[in-house]
Amino acid sequence: MATITRQTTLGSPIADAIASQDAAIDAALRDSLNRTVALFDRVRSALAERRARRVAYRELSELNDRELADLGIARADIHNVVRGKFPARV
């Protein structure tokens, strides 16, 4: 039995197909990496926002009722103020 081997030269259809496949794989890997980085950015951002809300909640909770009234909020409103769902009074 004879084995047939083909030598490919640059610019041949086989080499072009391999180069095209390699480019597609590289593009898919770059896209996957970009999506992963974006996911971690969203997680980091969400954690930073959560941390800021906890700090704000703690600071507002430490105020007495008179200080809260000076700010125009009641103790029961602290949760909504921190979450940004408190109606703005003009």
Side-chain angles (χ1 to χ4, degrees):
M1 284 198 134
T3 316
I4 300 174
T5 59
R6 294 184 187 185
Q7 281 188 325
T8 59
T9 59
L10 197 57
S12 72
I14 294 173
D16 291 343
I18 292 171
S20 176
Q21 186 178 22
D22 286 347
I25 290 171
D26 288 345
L29 288 174
R30 273 192 307 275
D31 182 54
S32 178
L33 177 64
N34 289 339
R35 288 175 186 253
T36 303
V37 168
L39 172 68
F40 281 112
D41 284 343
R42 287 191 307 270
V43 169
R44 182 185 48 79
S45 177
L47 289 175
E49 186 177 321
R50 181 175 182 236
R51 184 175 24 248
R53 281 195 313 260
R54 284 185 9 224
V55 168
Y57 187 87
R58 187 178 329 116
E59 289 176 357
L60 287 172
S61 295
E62 290 174 356
L63 297 176
N64 62 36
D65 290 337
R66 182 177 175 131
E67 292 168 330
L68 287 172
D70 287 343
L71 295 173
I73 59 175
R75 187 159 303 279
D77 296 328
I78 292 175
H79 181 73
N80 289 330
V81 169
V82 170
R83 294 217 178 258
K85 300 192 186 274
F86 188 72
R89 296 181 183 145
V90 180

